[in-house]
mmCIF file of all heavy atoms in Angstrom:
data_model
loop_
_atom_site.group_PDB
_atom_site.id
_atom_site.type_symbol
_atom_site.label_atom_id
_atom_site.label_comp_id
_atom_site.label_asym_id
_atom_site.label_seq_id
_atom_site.Cartn_x
_atom_site.Cartn_y
_atom_site.Cartn_z
ATOM 1 N N ARG A 718 -112.749 -225.017 63.276
ATOM 2 C CA ARG A 718 -111.508 -225.096 62.447
ATOM 3 C C ARG A 718 -110.630 -226.226 62.917
ATOM 4 O O ARG A 718 -110.106 -227.018 62.128
ATOM 5 C CB ARG A 718 -110.745 -223.738 62.554
ATOM 6 C CG ARG A 718 -109.522 -223.662 61.751
ATOM 7 C CD ARG A 718 -109.801 -223.534 60.275
ATOM 8 N NE ARG A 718 -108.579 -223.368 59.521
ATOM 9 C CZ ARG A 718 -108.529 -223.262 58.223
ATOM 10 N NH1 ARG A 718 -109.644 -223.215 57.541
ATOM 11 N NH2 ARG A 718 -107.361 -223.080 57.586
ATOM 12 N N THR A 739 -100.172 -230.242 52.769
ATOM 13 C CA THR A 739 -100.608 -228.861 52.911
ATOM 14 C C THR A 739 -102.052 -228.869 53.171
ATOM 15 O O THR A 739 -102.738 -229.922 52.993
ATOM 16 C CB THR A 739 -100.308 -228.053 51.593
ATOM 17 O OG1 THR A 739 -101.126 -228.585 50.588
ATOM 18 C CG2 THR A 739 -98.845 -228.097 51.200
ATOM 19 N N PHE A 740 -102.592 -227.753 53.699
ATOM 20 C CA PHE A 740 -104.033 -227.703 53.948
ATOM 21 C C PHE A 740 -104.798 -227.880 52.656
ATOM 22 O O PHE A 740 -105.834 -228.478 52.586
ATOM 23 C CB PHE A 740 -104.375 -226.427 54.631
ATOM 24 C CG PHE A 740 -104.043 -226.384 56.135
ATOM 25 C CD1 PHE A 740 -103.993 -225.191 56.755
ATOM 26 C CD2 PHE A 740 -103.779 -227.538 56.814
ATOM 27 C CE1 PHE A 740 -103.713 -225.088 58.123
ATOM 28 C CE2 PHE A 740 -103.452 -227.465 58.189
ATOM 29 C CZ PHE A 740 -103.419 -226.278 58.836
ATOM 30 N N ALA A 741 -104.281 -227.315 51.580
ATOM 31 C CA ALA A 741 -104.980 -227.483 50.265
ATOM 32 C C ALA A 741 -104.962 -228.936 49.820
ATOM 33 O O ALA A 741 -105.995 -229.429 49.375
ATOM 34 C CB ALA A 741 -104.246 -226.610 49.240
ATOM 35 N N ILE A 745 -108.768 -228.801 52.960
ATOM 36 C CA ILE A 745 -109.240 -227.872 53.942
ATOM 37 C C ILE A 745 -109.699 -226.559 53.296
ATOM 38 O O ILE A 745 -108.882 -225.961 52.530
ATOM 39 C CB ILE A 745 -108.175 -227.596 55.039
ATOM 40 C CG1 ILE A 745 -107.926 -228.943 55.777
ATOM 41 C CG2 ILE A 745 -108.589 -226.501 55.983
ATOM 42 C CD1 ILE A 745 -106.748 -228.911 56.718
ATOM 43 N N ILE A 746 -110.869 -226.191 53.490
ATOM 44 C CA ILE A 746 -111.466 -224.969 52.901
ATOM 45 C C ILE A 746 -110.689 -223.755 53.409
ATOM 46 O O ILE A 746 -110.391 -223.653 54.575
ATOM 47 C CB ILE A 746 -112.954 -224.819 53.264
ATOM 48 C CG1 ILE A 746 -113.723 -226.061 52.702
ATOM 49 C CG2 ILE A 746 -113.583 -223.563 52.722
ATOM 50 C CD1 ILE A 746 -115.139 -226.189 53.284
ATOM 51 N N ASN A 747 -110.459 -222.820 52.506
ATOM 52 C CA ASN A 747 -109.698 -221.627 52.853
ATOM 53 C C ASN A 747 -108.405 -221.926 53.536
ATOM 54 O O ASN A 747 -108.169 -221.593 54.720
ATOM 55 C CB ASN A 747 -110.512 -220.670 53.736
ATOM 56 C CG ASN A 747 -111.395 -219.722 52.979
ATOM 57 O OD1 ASN A 747 -111.134 -219.422 51.809
ATOM 58 N ND2 ASN A 747 -112.448 -219.273 53.600
ATOM 59 N N PRO A 748 -107.474 -222.632 52.878
ATOM 60 C CA PRO A 748 -106.253 -223.101 53.539
ATOM 61 C C PRO A 748 -105.393 -221.982 54.100
ATOM 62 O O PRO A 748 -104.653 -222.242 55.089
ATOM 63 C CB PRO A 748 -105.540 -223.843 52.443
ATOM 64 C CG PRO A 748 -106.098 -223.384 51.157
ATOM 65 C CD PRO A 748 -107.496 -222.951 51.488
ATOM 66 N N ASN A 749 -105.479 -220.767 53.575
ATOM 67 C CA ASN A 749 -104.686 -219.684 54.077
ATOM 68 C C ASN A 749 -105.396 -218.787 55.129
ATOM 69 O O ASN A 749 -104.849 -217.846 55.627
ATOM 70 C CB ASN A 749 -104.182 -218.806 52.922
ATOM 71 C CG ASN A 749 -103.336 -219.608 51.983
ATOM 72 O OD1 ASN A 749 -102.492 -220.444 52.426
ATOM 73 N ND2 ASN A 749 -103.521 -219.430 50.696
ATOM 74 N N ALA A 750 -106.638 -219.130 55.449
ATOM 75 C CA ALA A 750 -107.410 -218.335 56.410
ATOM 76 C C ALA A 750 -107.044 -218.796 57.846
ATOM 77 O O ALA A 750 -106.577 -219.923 58.042
ATOM 78 C CB ALA A 750 -108.877 -218.452 56.145
ATOM 79 N N PHE A 751 -107.365 -217.974 58.783
ATOM 80 C CA PHE A 751 -107.299 -218.337 60.220
ATOM 81 C C PHE A 751 -105.898 -218.686 60.632
ATOM 82 O O PHE A 751 -105.685 -219.670 61.363
ATOM 83 C CB PHE A 751 -108.279 -219.479 60.581
ATOM 84 C CG PHE A 751 -109.686 -219.196 60.131
ATOM 85 C CD1 PHE A 751 -110.256 -219.905 59.066
ATOM 86 C CD2 PHE A 751 -110.466 -218.214 60.775
ATOM 87 C CE1 PHE A 751 -111.528 -219.639 58.656
ATOM 88 C CE2 PHE A 751 -111.759 -217.996 60.375
ATOM 89 C CZ PHE A 751 -112.270 -218.720 59.325
ATOM 90 N N SER A 752 -104.885 -218.008 60.178
ATOM 91 C CA SER A 752 -103.513 -218.365 60.480
ATOM 92 C C SER A 752 -103.227 -218.383 61.968
ATOM 93 O O SER A 752 -102.389 -219.137 62.459
ATOM 94 C CB SER A 752 -102.536 -217.441 59.702
ATOM 95 O OG SER A 752 -102.694 -216.135 60.159
ATOM 96 N N LYS A 753 -103.875 -217.480 62.755
ATOM 97 C CA LYS A 753 -103.614 -217.477 64.191
ATOM 98 C C LYS A 753 -104.151 -218.746 64.855
ATOM 99 O O LYS A 753 -103.483 -219.272 65.772
ATOM 100 C CB LYS A 753 -104.280 -216.240 64.815
ATOM 101 C CG LYS A 753 -103.544 -214.995 64.460
ATOM 102 C CD LYS A 753 -104.102 -213.756 65.178
ATOM 103 C CE LYS A 753 -103.383 -212.547 64.611
ATOM 104 N NZ LYS A 753 -103.308 -211.486 65.526
ATOM 105 N N ASN A 755 -104.289 -221.663 63.320
ATOM 106 C CA ASN A 755 -103.340 -222.678 62.860
ATOM 107 C C ASN A 755 -102.066 -222.625 63.723
ATOM 108 O O ASN A 755 -101.550 -223.661 64.191
ATOM 109 C CB ASN A 755 -103.011 -222.534 61.392
ATOM 110 C CG ASN A 755 -104.241 -222.548 60.524
ATOM 111 O OD1 ASN A 755 -105.282 -223.028 60.889
ATOM 112 N ND2 ASN A 755 -104.122 -221.967 59.340
#
Side-chain angles (χ1 to χ4, degrees):
R718 181 75 175 178
T739 64
F740 284 163
I745 295 170
I746 300 168
N747 272 337
N749 298 319
F751 308 108
S752 61
K753 289 186 184 208
N755 304 338

